[in-house]
Amino acid sequence: REYTVWFSPGQYFPMGGWVLRKDGEICCDKLEEAAWQVISRHNALRAFPADPLRLLSFILDTAVLFTLVSRLLDRNPMTRWIRQCISWALKYSWARVVVRAPEALYGPGGRGGPGLQRPLVQISVTDQQAAEHHLKHRRQILSQTGSPVDIALVQLNARLEGLWVYGANGGMGDFCILASEKDSLGDSTLLMVDRNRKEAARLCGPTDSGWIPPPYGFPALLSGRLHPAEAEDGGGVIWL
């Protein structure tokens, strides 16, 4: 079906993406099923511009100028028919939006398949640079295809144990992250050790009871309270 809607040329292309973070486990099958149901339910997630951007810009500029002179044309019965003709022309030449059926986008059954487009893509990366690369790549694909919806589930599998270097221009300091011995349940704890400052901390995740919330706007993965070797109460707090 085709619709005529009012939107500006800046909305001709899909809007920018949102990045949402989840620290816990995600059921990929249920997330994909939810994506299919939302796409089938909402026409806006299957809508594409049916006319070129130049036509939309021209019609929109003409309509804005027409609103400035339409009242002047209504004052005179001789020019009122001109306003009616312009209104009729704008109505039937306005840029259209076409809503495609799920089967036309994702193949028979509207549920995708081998070699067909899918609204949900699962990506696994090992560092931040790879994550940013994949996100930019998905954005380029979205701008080229014009698809109104694209969901990318990016799973970051970062290796935490080892030597960390921090600071600008090659680093100004370093610390180590080690795994403690396993307890009776077979679980181990991550420890942060700074040999230069002689401090250490037990690292906790957002779901742990010892989690320390970071400052507002700082998306930390781990937190810990520093314990100097000469003090039992501990010192400051570290966020990674």
Side-chain angles (χ1 to χ4, degrees):
R1 300 182 59 181
E2 292 184 354
Y3 300 87
T4 301
V5 296
W6 177 284
F7 60 98
S8 66
Q11 297 171 320
Y12 185 81
F13 298 101
M15 297 180 63
W18 288 271
V19 179
L20 304 178
R21 174 179 160 182
K22 175 68 176 177
D23 296 314
E25 296 291 335
I26 295 179
C27 182
C28 299
D29 295 336
K30 292 184 179 180
L31 179 61
E32 185 173 10
E33 178 63 26
W36 287 121
Q37 293 183 9
V38 171
I39 292 174
S40 300
R41 185 184 307 124
H42 297 283
N43 291 340
L45 300 181
R46 293 178 279 108
F48 295 82
D51 294 311
L53 177 61
R54 291 185 177 181
L55 175 62
L56 174 60
S57 299
F58 174 78
I59 295 299
L60 180 62
D61 294 341
T62 303
V64 172
L65 295 176
F66 175 66
T67 58
L68 302 177
V69 299
S70 59
R71 293 187 177 183
L72 296 178
L73 296 176
D74 279 339
R75 293 179 179 180
N76 191 334
M78 300 296 298
T79 58
R80 186 173 302 168
W81 67 273
I82 299 178
R83 185 198 62 79
Q84 295 175 351
C85 292
I86 297 177
S87 299
W88 178 87
L90 291 175
K91 176 182 177 181
Y92 288 97
S93 61
W94 198 266
R96 299 162 299 159
V97 173
V98 58
V99 176
R100 300 178 183 177
E103 294 76 9
L105 294 175
Y106 306 108
R111 286 302 183 96
L116 297 176
Q117 180 183 359
R118 303 179 69 89
L120 176 63
V121 178
Q122 301 180 30
I123 303 173
S124 180
V125 296
T126 57
D127 53 54
Q128 181 177 351
Q129 184 176 2
E132 294 178 355
H133 171 74
H134 282 286
L135 291 177
K136 292 180 180 179
H137 180 65
R138 298 303 307 173
R139 184 176 181 180
Q140 293 177 356
I141 294 177
L142 185 61
S143 62
Q144 294 173 1
T145 60
S147 177
V149 59
D150 180 82
I151 306 173
L153 178 60
V154 181
Q155 182 177 2
L156 177 61
N157 301 313
R159 179 178 176 84
L160 299 177
E161 297 181 45
L163 179 65
W164 288 57
V165 179
Y166 60 89
N169 299 325
M172 300 170 55
D174 59 73
F175 60 87
C176 291
I177 295 183
L178 308 173
S180 65
E181 296 182 358
K182 295 183 179 180
D183 55 18
S184 59
L185 299 178
D187 298 329
S188 60
T189 303
L190 291 178
L191 302 176
M192 192 283 298
V193 179
D194 191 334
R195 55 174 182 161
N196 299 319
R197 303 173 62 92
K198 298 182 179 181
E199 294 177 328
R202 176 182 176 272
L203 299 178
C204 302
T207 58
D208 297 333
S209 58
W211 167 254
I212 304 175
Y216 179 77
F218 180 74
L221 294 175
L222 300 170
S223 69
R225 186 172 297 279
L226 295 171
H227 291 268
E230 62 275 6
E232 296 182 356
D233 296 336
V237 179
I238 183 175
W239 290 283
L240 300 177

